[in-house]
């Protein structure tokens, strides 16, 4: 490996040259047939197979020079240097020349860098490269963080076939108004790619049948009136019939799906075996209830379940927060009403937060309201919830008595 590494991108003893990249941006790369042939069956066939051609230069216009050099460096030295800007091009090169270890490393890199803003683009690429594991990971992110994924710039870059499968997706966890807005944004971007003015007529043209995959009738009447009805992309007849569908007893037939998306069902990890309340006050004002947790697989935390008043109906204001290594990942200042029972009451983050496996995070809540409150007892350090196992430990941020054994934040609400 060390000896071969010295020959990487080196004219010394080079017996073949590649001209890599499109005309005007190509780069000439020296290489050694033997090294490439033992690392790739494609290169073996090219240089030593029955149909091998003797050419001093091999032109490869469809591979980026940087990606080609990354592949060659791996074949010479076993070193893999991946970067976000070149990893997709490197995956293409690894697939083209059948270098499976490099392709696997590219997929792993993409999986670990996957987030809502690039999930749709990576979904498009994973389908193109036939990488089912990466495709599944993309769907996990898109389903759980659908609003962020659909509103990302990356969504506007996907191809029409990927647009179709996303808009058809039953598990998208967002409002239909968000789906419609995303489809319009994609149509505008596609008009620009095709050199067309972004008129309503052209948007309908580039969308084609994908427009009729949006479940417009499942919006609320207000969402439809303030959004889709004023978008100019629907015909007057379609707009008229949808308004009638909302309001008339005799509903007209529509070309749009009428059933809501199933979405994702949130799961709840409950960490206490019982609850109780004290006759003295559980002082909330300005004090933080906090707990640390880790999951054994990647999940999306959507909110927290909290205890409420033990002395009748009461309203609480609450600031919830999710942190990792002291960095705030999500927070929300909101209110909830408890009915005086020992039930837990959900409080949601604005968007679900991706939580990596085997990594500790800190969930916190600062409540203000009735101080006669329920609290948890007989806490568990480990809780099995479906296919996910959560571990809990005390947090140094907790200044109100909450810990593993007892206190507030009885539940994590998540998607898996």
């Amino acid at each position: 490996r060390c000896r071969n590494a010295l020959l990487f991108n080196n004219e010394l003893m080079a017996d073949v040259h590649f001209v890599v990249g499109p005309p005007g941006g190509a780069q000439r790369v020296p290489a050694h047939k033997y090294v490439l042939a033992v690392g790739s069956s494609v290169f073996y066939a090219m240089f030593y197979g029955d149909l091998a051609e003797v050419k001093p230069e091999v032109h490869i216009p469809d591979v980026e020079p940087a990606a080609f050099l990354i592949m060659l460096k791996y074949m010479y030295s076993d070193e893999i240097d991946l970067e976000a800007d070149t990893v997709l091009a490197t995956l293409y090169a690894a697939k083209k020349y059948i270098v499976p270890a490099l392709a696997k490393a590219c997929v792993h890199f993409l999986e670990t860098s996957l987030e809502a803003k690039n999930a749709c683009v990576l979904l498009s690429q994973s389908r193109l490269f036939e990488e089912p594991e990466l495709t599944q990971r993309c769907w996990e992110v898109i389903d759980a963080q659908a609003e962020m994924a659909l509103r990302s710039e990356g969504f506007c870059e996907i191809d029409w076939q990927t647009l179709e499968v996303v808009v058809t997706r039953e598990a998208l966890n967002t409002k239909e108004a968000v789906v419609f807005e995303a489809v319009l944004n994609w149509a505008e971007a596609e008009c620009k790619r095709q050199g067309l003015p972004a008129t309503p007529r052209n948007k309908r043209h580039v969308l084609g049948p994908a427009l009729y995959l949006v479940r417009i009738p499942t919006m609320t009447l207000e969402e439809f009136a303030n959004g889709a009805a004023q978008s100019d992309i629907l015909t007057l007849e379609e707009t008229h019939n949808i308004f009638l569908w909302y309001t008339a007893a005799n509903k007209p037939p529509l070309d749009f799906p009428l059933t809501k998306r199933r979405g994702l069902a949130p799961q709840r990890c409950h960490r206490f075996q019982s609850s109780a309340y004290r006759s003295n006050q559980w002082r909330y004002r300005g004090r933080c209830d906090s707990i640390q947790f880790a999951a054994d697989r990647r999940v999306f935390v959507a909110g927290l379940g909290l205890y409420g008043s033990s002395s009748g109906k009461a309203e609480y204001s609450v600031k919830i927060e999710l942190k990792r290594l002291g960095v705030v990942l999500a927070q929300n200042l909101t209110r909830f009403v408890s009915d005086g029972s020992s039930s837990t009451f959900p409080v949601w983050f604005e968007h679900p937060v991706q939580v990596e496996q085997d990594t500790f995070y800190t969930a916190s809540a600062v409540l203000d309201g009735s101080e006669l409150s329920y609290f948890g007892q007989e806490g568990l350090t480990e809780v099995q919830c479906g296919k996910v196992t959560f571990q809990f430990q005390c947090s140094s941020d907790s200044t109100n008595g909450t810990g593993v054994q007892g206190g507030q934040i009885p539940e994590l609400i998540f998607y898996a």
Side-chain angles (χ1 to χ4, degrees), residues 112 137 295 297-299 324 354-359 361:
T112 55
R137 276 286 297 118
R297 59 171 289 186
R298 187 183 287 109
V299 298
R324 177 184 177 186
Q354 182 169 292
V355 166
E356 299 299 333
Q357 69 181 52
D358 301 325
T359 303
Y361 293 77

Side-chain angles (χ1 to χ4, degrees), residues 160 163 167 180 183-184 200 203-216 231 233-235 238 255-257:
W160 189 90
L163 173 75
V167 179
F180 182 81
V183 166
L184 283 191
K203 289 179 184 179
R204 281 185 72 103
H205 171 70
V206 299
L207 282 171
L211 176 61
Y212 296 100
L213 299 175
V214 184
R215 306 182 185 197
I216 291 177
S231 68
I233 200 169
L234 301 177
T235 65
E238 287 168 343
D255 293 325
F256 300 92

Side-chain angles (χ1 to χ4, degrees), residues 12-118:
L12 181 66
M13 295 189 294
D15 53 1
V16 66
H17 287 80
F18 294 92
V19 180
V20 186
Q27 182 175 337
R28 195 168 188 267
V29 180
H32 305 79
K33 293 179 181 179
Y34 167 76
V35 177
L36 272 57
V38 297
S40 160
S41 58
V42 175
F43 282 127
Y44 175 82
M46 183 185 296
F47 300 135
Y48 300 106
D50 293 337
L51 300 177
E53 296 182 29
V54 181
K55 289 183 178 180
E57 286 187 345
V58 178
H59 289 259
I60 308 177
D62 60 331
V63 175
E64 292 182 12
F68 190 78
L69 286 170
I70 290 169
M71 181 180 69
L72 256 59
K73 185 173 183 179
Y74 166 71
M75 297 173 77
Y76 277 80
S77 66
D78 277 352
E79 294 180 19
I80 299 177
D81 297 327
L82 297 176
E83 296 179 359
D85 293 341
T86 56
V87 63
L88 283 172
T90 305
L91 177 59
Y92 174 77
K95 288 278 189 176
K96 177 175 181 175
Y97 293 102
I98 311 180
V99 187
L102 180 60
K104 184 176 181 180
C106 291
V107 170
H108 178 71
F109 182 95
L110 290 168
E111 286 182 348
T112 55
S113 61
L114 179 62
E115 51 188 340
K117 67 181 181 182
N118 63 9

